[in-house]
Amino acid sequence: MSLFEMMLKNYFDEKMLEKLSKVKILIIGCGGLGSNIAVMLVRSGVKNLTIVDFDKVDVSNLNRQNYFFYQTGQEKVAALKDILEKINPYITVKALNMKIDESNIDDLILQHDIIVEAVDNEQTKMLIFKKAHDHGKKVVLASGVAGFGDCENIKIKRGKNFSVVGDFVTSIKEKKPLAPKVMAVAAMQADEVLRMVSELE
């Protein structure tokens, strides 16, 4: 047992630790939400993670994304994989530098237990939700993460196999996303993932 696993024994019982070590989680989008969610899940004991994005780290996004200045220009998935493995070197992170669409989403979703939507594009959000629903997979989504000064408006809406986190109002087309609110939503998404893990058989 690694030191990291020994540390987690202070927070979870054996049953939950076993679930965290076995569950396979897919995070689609490694920007402000996805990069922070991935870090929180790894710190919480998740050991099998697939991260997907097609973009590169940009200095203009460091106000909310969990990267470092020296990683500017690197593929997001490669940079994030490096960070996650520094937190816990005993995890398995699959980094896919690709764009999600109808041609590849089904295979990806079928390989995982819980899907996390962390993208900006509305059509891709709907595609992820639809495909997760079609395949009977648990999914955590976000809606409304922009602006600042109103984190008290963040809510969670739950249904069969899904949770949506956000204020359900603000759009990044109208307001800029900043670290406090983005990270608050990311934290709540990560917490919803942990809740779903606890419910797995």
Side-chain angles (χ1 to χ4, degrees):
M1 180 178 290
S2 71
L3 285 173
F4 199 92
E5 290 170 315
M6 290 176 66
M7 174 273 293
L8 289 170
K9 287 171 71 72
N10 294 316
Y11 302 95
F12 299 112
D13 61 26
E14 292 293 338
K15 190 173 181 181
M16 184 62 175
L17 285 173
E18 185 177 1
K19 289 180 180 181
L20 288 167
S21 69
K22 290 182 176 179
V23 68
K24 295 180 179 178
I25 295 174
L26 171 65
I27 299 178
I28 303 176
C30 295
L33 292 173
S35 62
N36 286 296
I37 292 167
V39 166
M40 285 184 268
L41 290 179
V42 166
R43 292 191 187 280
S44 299
V46 169
K47 295 180 73 174
N48 299 286
L49 198 59
T50 299
I51 52 176
V52 182
D53 205 301
F54 61 91
D55 208 354
K56 293 182 178 180
V57 178
D58 191 299
V59 69
S60 66
N61 296 324
L62 294 180
N63 70 308
R64 65 190 183 278
Q65 297 182 3
N66 204 323
Y67 299 104
F68 297 93
F69 188 83
Y70 77 88
Q71 292 177 311
T72 301
Q74 294 180 21
E75 291 178 358
K76 282 183 180 177
V77 291
L80 184 55
K81 177 181 168 75
D82 184 57
I83 291 168
L84 299 176
E85 289 174 343
K86 281 184 169 65
I87 295 169
N88 183 1
Y90 302 99
I91 58 174
T92 300
V93 181
K94 189 174 182 181
L96 301 177
N97 187 49
M98 59 187 283
K99 191 170 187 176
I100 290 293
D101 58 31
E102 286 274 5
S103 71
N104 54 33
I105 191 169
D106 290 283
D107 285 343
L108 265 180
I109 284 180
L110 284 168
Q111 295 172 39
H112 297 84
D113 303 305
I114 300 174
I115 317 304
V116 179
E117 175 274 310
V119 302
D120 294 333
N121 184 277
E122 292 295 331
Q123 287 74 29
T124 307
K125 281 179 180 285
M126 291 305 298
L127 177 64
I128 294 167
F129 178 71
K130 179 182 182 302
K131 293 295 186 177
H133 175 76
D134 289 349
H135 294 299
K137 299 290 185 176
K138 296 180 181 294
V139 60
V140 180
L141 309 102
S143 178
V145 302
F148 63 92
D150 60 351
C151 280
E152 71 275 10
N153 294 326
I154 300 170
K155 303 176 185 69
I156 300 174
K157 293 183 180 179
R158 298 187 181 114
K160 182 175 171 56
N161 284 338
F162 76 86
S163 298
V164 189
V165 181
D167 64 21
F168 300 89
V169 176
T170 59
S171 168
I172 60 171
K173 294 176 183 176
E174 300 163 2
K175 294 182 178 181
K176 298 295 185 183
L178 292 163
K181 192 169 181 182
V182 170
M183 292 179 75
V185 172
M188 292 171 74
Q189 282 187 276
D191 195 61
E192 283 298 288
V193 171
L194 293 180
R195 182 183 63 80
M196 289 179 174
V197 171
S198 73
E199 295 173 350
L200 293 173
E201 295 298 326

